[in-house]
Amino acid sequence: MNSVPAFSPVFSNQLHELFRWRRDVRHFRCDPVPEPVLEGLLATACLAPSVGLSEPWRFVRVDDADRRAAVREDFSQCNADALADRADTDAQRYARLKLAGLDDAPHHVAVLSHPDPVQGRGLGRATMPQTTTWSTVMAIHTFWLAATAAGVGVGWVSIINPARIKAILDVDPALELVAYLCVGYPDGQAPTPELERRGWEQRAPERREWVRR
């Protein structure tokens, strides 16, 4: 029988620092992450909880240069559309933001989710079928924390058209695109979000308070 580990106060403090230093990275070095490290991050991601033990996530390495170029083109179009929807000062501030690391990141990872996998036999999904998506997000977050602990940066690109990205990647159309991740060693690190440092938004103190009923 396995013994239950005891987590020390030192570890708890280090874990808090890991949470604090996890960033949405947009500035990457170009040198690749060693394959054993990438394989280890995927293995750790698969320790994430999932509804009914369904493991609905599908991690897709996007290595083909033409597919990556097509993804960058889709991002550019979606980003231009998003900028066009803004006006005046807001548009100027938006235009100054670096919103993706697609050009520099050595690794691209698409994360998809099966909305109704056979695995798990439907447990826990009858009343809340979206829990498969949430399970996949848990795997992404686990991947992200493991990457941060290994000194690897992750950036989540959401300014893309999911249908076009799935077509570019030639994946099962039944799968849901949940995330497109840039992965690589960060070119600089900070304990605060870049959007906060650039004055786009600030954390809300009231989010740190319980809502009571």
Side-chain angles (χ1 to χ4, degrees):
M1 183 174 180
N2 293 330
S3 60
V4 178
F7 299 110
S8 69
V10 172
F11 174 82
S12 295
N13 290 334
Q14 291 175 328
L15 182 60
H16 176 79
E17 286 298 287
L18 174 64
F19 294 152
R20 195 167 74 91
W21 280 84
R22 183 219 51 81
R23 296 273 65 83
D24 188 1
V25 177
R26 300 183 180 95
H27 305 270
F28 292 91
R29 294 173 7 210
C30 294
D31 48 312
V33 177
E35 285 297 320
V37 175
L38 291 173
E39 292 298 324
L41 296 181
L42 178 59
T44 300
C46 291
L47 296 175
S50 60
V51 60
L53 198 57
S54 59
E55 297 182 310
W57 50 77
R58 308 290 186 269
F59 282 75
V60 178
R61 287 272 298 274
V62 185
D63 299 327
D64 181 79
D66 291 338
R67 295 187 198 273
R68 288 170 63 140
V71 170
R72 285 194 293 271
E73 182 178 349
D74 180 75
F75 166 80
S76 296
Q77 180 60 60
C78 291
N79 195 41
D81 293 343
L83 176 59
D85 287 339
R86 298 179 179 274
D88 303 328
T89 303
D90 198 47
Q92 296 172 18
R93 294 172 66 192
Y94 183 93
R96 288 196 295 266
L97 297 174
K98 180 178 175 60
L99 297 173
L102 293 167
D103 291 332
D104 297 329
H107 309 287
H108 290 195
V109 178
V111 188
L112 300 104
S113 185
H114 199 300
D116 190 23
V118 173
Q119 184 175 333
R121 298 160 57 194
L123 179 66
R125 307 201 307 259
T127 53
M128 300 182 75
Q130 63 270 40
T131 48
T132 53
T133 302
W134 301 344
S135 298
T136 298
V137 173
M138 291 291 289
I140 293 167
H141 190 237
T142 304
F143 179 93
W144 209 329
L145 290 176
T148 302
V152 176
V154 176
W156 188 325
V157 183
S158 61
I159 308 174
I160 49 178
N161 182 299
R164 285 203 295 261
I165 298 301
K166 289 199 298 180
I168 290 168
L169 301 183
D170 191 23
V171 295
D172 182 349
L175 296 176
E176 173 193 11
L177 179 71
V178 177
Y180 195 92
L181 306 177
C182 297
V183 179
Y185 292 113
D187 184 15
Q189 294 176 282
T192 54
E194 183 171 343
L195 294 180
E196 184 177 347
R197 299 195 307 274
R198 289 180 172 271
W200 178 262
E201 190 54 271
Q202 299 295 315
R203 294 186 184 274
E206 59 268 27
R207 299 295 177 266
R208 285 131 188 88
E209 299 176 1
W210 294 107
V211 175
R212 299 181 183 272
R213 292 290 185 268

